[in-house]
Amino acid sequence: MILKKILFSVVVLLSFVGSVFAAPGPNGTLAGQSNCTSVDAIWSITVTYPNLDWTLSLNSSSLGTITRDIPDSGSGTETFNVVPASGEVVTLSLIERNSVVRTVSFTHICNVSTEQETVVSEPSTIGDGRLEPFSSDHVIYPLSDQGIVVYNDTGVSVLFVSLDTIEVRGIPATGSILLGATADNYVQIYRLSDGRFQAEIGPDEEGKVHVVFWEGLGNSYSRISTTTYTIP
């Protein structure tokens, strides 16, 4: 009888110790938003361990499933340079290996009242290396010896993406990757999977968002195209 009590006490003690020292599983937070040019996944990994493999996935009826690798710790914003059909449900998932840790769904709505696209076959400059055409009041300088510099209408530099940043971030396998943005996200610079750069500026006082695409740095840039859309 005494032996049974001792064994029972040991089992209870081991169960208690296991409950005290049991570590929580991988965990994180996830939020999503979309506009008329992309879908953003805002993620944060709150609990992680060595040798874990974190990914993000985007799923919708028109786009299917798109998967991206993300760092195995920290937080960030992953931009999917895709546009779902207006009114369809977009589902974002934060995944550790094959286990879905967080899922968020929202309806994509593109509130664009007007949209105009202009394609320019040859680049045009004003003699000082600035990127033209651009209908915003900001000016972009893709400099081969420094990186990408953006100035506002008063001549103040509001964003600088260095050559080191461009090299380290590289070219994404699919979609786009954020190279840099101002604190208010009024100016954002991306690198696309085809090697081009993308800048988004706005919305301005008229609700216009100006988007420009180009390839290369210095005076060798080409493949310029611009799009302006208005958010009511």
Side-chain angles (χ1 to χ4, degrees), residues 26-30 41-57 67-80 93-97 101 168-169 176-178:
N27 205 351
T29 61
L30 182 64
I42 302 93
W43 59 272
S44 176
I45 296 173
T46 56
V47 179
T48 190
Y49 305 99
N51 302 319
L52 296 188
D53 186 16
W54 291 85
T55 57
L56 280 172
S57 74
T67 303
R68 294 275 186 85
D69 287 326
I70 59 173
D72 296 329
S73 63
S75 60
T77 298
E78 186 72 18
T79 298
F80 294 84
S93 298
L94 180 63
I95 304 169
E96 194 289 303
R97 297 189 190 276
V101 176
V168 169
R169 299 294 280 171
S176 64
I177 189 170
L178 182 66

Side-chain angles (χ1 to χ4, degrees), residues 3-232:
L3 181 58
K4 288 183 178 180
K5 288 183 178 180
I6 293 174
L7 290 174
F8 176 77
S9 300
V10 171
V11 171
V12 172
L13 179 61
L14 290 175
S15 299
F16 175 75
V17 171
S19 64
V20 170
F21 293 100
N27 205 351
T29 61
L30 182 64
Q33 62 186 19
S34 62
N35 54 40
C36 297
T37 60
S38 62
V39 177
D40 289 333
I42 302 93
W43 59 272
S44 176
I45 296 173
T46 56
V47 179
T48 190
Y49 305 99
N51 302 319
L52 296 188
D53 186 16
W54 291 85
T55 57
L56 280 172
S57 74
L58 177 152
N59 180 268
S60 75
S61 298
S62 63
L63 299 173
T65 299
I66 303 172
T67 303
R68 294 275 186 85
D69 287 326
I70 59 173
D72 296 329
S73 63
S75 60
T77 298
E78 186 72 18
T79 298
F80 294 84
N81 191 40
V82 294
V83 182
S86 183
E88 78 173 342
V89 175
V90 177
T91 299
L92 297 172
S93 298
L94 180 63
I95 304 169
E96 194 289 303
R97 297 189 190 276
N98 295 321
S99 299
V100 177
V101 176
R102 282 286 181 273
T103 298
V104 61
S105 297
F106 57 92
T107 301
H108 168 73
I109 299 176
C110 180
N111 292 320
V112 177
S113 60
T114 62
E115 183 173 348
Q116 181 179 0
E117 180 173 358
T118 304
V119 178
V120 178
S121 58
E122 293 295 333
S124 171
T125 65
I126 306 181
D128 61 359
R130 73 182 64 182
L131 181 67
E132 297 289 345
F134 202 72
S135 53
S136 164
D137 55 0
H138 287 59
V139 178
I140 300 175
Y141 285 83
L143 305 175
S144 59
D145 60 342
Q146 297 181 41
I148 301 170
V149 189
V150 182
Y151 294 90
N152 64 14
D153 57 349
T154 62
V156 175
S157 173
V158 296
L159 181 61
F160 172 62
V161 179
S162 68
L163 292 177
D164 287 341
T165 298
I166 295 172
E167 181 178 356
V168 169
R169 299 294 280 171
I171 299 176
T174 59
S176 64
I177 189 170
L178 182 66
L179 297 179
T182 55
D184 58 0
N185 287 324
Y186 188 80
V187 181
Q188 301 177 64
I189 305 291
Y190 297 89
R191 191 74 183 272
L192 307 182
S193 59
D194 64 0
R196 291 182 301 163
F197 298 95
Q198 173 185 338
E200 291 191 14
I201 299 180
D204 59 19
E205 294 179 353
E206 299 178 351
K208 293 181 178 180
V209 178
H210 307 280
V211 185
V212 61
F213 304 87
W214 78 95
E215 180 178 29
L217 299 174
N219 292 327
S220 62
Y221 54 78
S222 60
R223 297 174 64 194
I224 303 172
S225 65
T226 64
T227 299
T228 299
Y229 63 86
T230 303
I231 300 177

